[in-house]
Amino acid sequence: MELVYKGKTKDVYDLGDGNYLLKFKDDVTGKDGVFDPGANTVGLTVEGMGKSGLKMTKFFFEKIEEKGIPTHYVDTDIENSTMIVKPAKMFGNGLEVICRYRAVGSFLRRYGMYAEEGQPLDAFVEITLKDDEREDPPITEDALHMLGILSKEEYSILKNRTIEISNIIKEELAKKDIELYDIKLEFGRIGENNEIGLIDEISGGNMRAYKNGEYIEPLELEKLMLED
Amino acid sequence: MELVYKGKTKDVYDLGDGNYLLKFKDDVTGKDGVFDPGANTVGLTVEGMGKSGLKMTKFFFEKIEEKGIPTHYVDTDIENSTMIVKPAKMFGNGLEVICRYRAVGSFLRRYGMYAEEGQPLDAFVEITLKDDEREDPPITEDALHMLGILSKEEYSILKNRTIEISNIIKEELAKKDIELYDIKLEFGRIGENNEIGLIDEISGGNMRAYKNGEYIEPLELEKLMLED
């Protein structure tokens, strides 16, 4: 089992059988000890974070698989904080796909002239490049196409799947009276058919979730979602 | 004649007959005395700049009108540095529409991971919000639609007219062996029919033009284009 990538919040190993193993770590993104799902740096380490993120990921990926939406998910080993996944090719050097239900965060920083903080948004999808140096710039469908990162057809599939998946997660949260404000997803071309599917993880670290107007930290979110 | 708006590079007067008068000033955008067409501040004052910009504007707007593309243009008075225009409604608080033939400037700052400096781009259109405070953020078709700034149909017309107009300007420059790298246009809803047309000005201050690999300053560009 060979380490092929050391990420901010997880490491990736080649299993040698065609699949890969993701090891979830206790590091979370943020700045100066404060959690920020959109940050490009590891801001703090929280014991149990890796396992918690994996439990959430298992829960959501299984819901998404049930609906017939393609993902890279194969299996999880909660005890060892690992997940087995199918190989996936990134779009370019990686994209982040954001689905928004409330105007907060970078959306508000960009479009605050036209939106009130917390204003409802109707599953609004935007894409940013994974590029720490250039602070993850937003990118349009036309630019993705022109730069050879995504075809127009792939863009359309990606956008539709983002809305489908985000709505599933929003509904699951709503069952616990939790409101999803926004979520960050990652996609790739999975397997030999290059099918566009969900990759990476889905946990509290990927989303902003609120209950009674209060932001819920990732570990707390997992407790609210998966215990009782 | 009533002053209705004091802009960075021109002032706007209401003529009282349904049309407006634009007074071109000698101020140009930039920073610390250095010209930058994308800057949000007046960086320097150059004698003759207003008149030079107006001559270019007259030249290009008349070419564009000849092709049947709607604009706000009515007439010019070069001696007094003024242009008479039809009334136009802005999209939201104003958009900048950029058409790119070479990867330079903010395009490269955003997408430098995928593009080489100076790489040819095929009349690539992008839109930014006029919002000095938020540094003119780029915006997608979906966001423009969702925020009520442009309908999907208007976006499509805007994009097509941007390419048509930019290609006309590119061809005019090419006649003098000058290459257009990129250009910034403004559009509005003109007259009672709210027809989408070109507004504002087209001069050296709106574009990056190069000859034999050397950038051409706005005043020099006007000389090369209109004197011979």
Side-chain angles (χ1 to χ4, degrees), chain A residues 63-186:
Chain A
K63 295 276 176 206
I64 293 158
E65 284 273 322
E66 271 171 30
K67 304 270 179 174
I69 301 166
T71 83
H72 72 160
Y73 184 77
V74 177
D75 201 3
T76 45
D77 176 349
I78 300 290
E79 200 49 48
N80 289 308
S81 301
T82 58
M83 174 160 91
I84 300 173
V85 298
K86 288 177 250 181
K89 296 171 209 80
M90 279 199 295
F91 304 113
N93 299 315
L95 302 178
E96 291 190 339
V97 187
I98 300 144
C99 188
R100 300 182 182 278
Y101 297 96
R102 293 264 183 194
V104 293
S106 60
F107 182 88
L108 202 69
R109 284 197 293 278
R110 281 197 286 273
Y111 307 129
M113 186 182 263
Y114 296 92
E116 298 286 327
E117 181 164 6
Q119 171 185 317
L121 304 175
D122 186 19
F124 173 68
V125 175
E126 54 183 15
I127 299 184
T128 61
L129 296 179
K130 283 189 141 196
D131 186 345
D132 290 1
E133 195 189 319
R134 296 178 184 85
E135 296 179 329
D136 295 347
I139 187 161
T140 63
E141 176 180 355
D142 282 351
L144 286 163
H145 173 63
M146 189 190 60
L147 295 171
I149 301 171
L150 269 183
S151 72
K152 295 264 180 182
E153 198 196 340
E154 286 178 321
Y155 179 89
S156 166
I157 295 169
L158 185 73
K159 183 176 150 182
N160 291 334
R161 292 198 173 152
T162 297
I163 295 171
E164 270 187 282
I165 291 166
S166 302
N167 283 343
I168 291 169
I169 294 161
K170 190 177 195 294
E171 282 164 26
E172 288 301 323
L173 265 61
K175 290 178 187 170
K176 307 277 181 173
D177 295 317
I178 297 168
E179 188 185 341
L180 181 64
Y181 275 29
D182 55 27
I183 183 162
K184 190 175 70 180
L185 303 175
E186 284 190 42

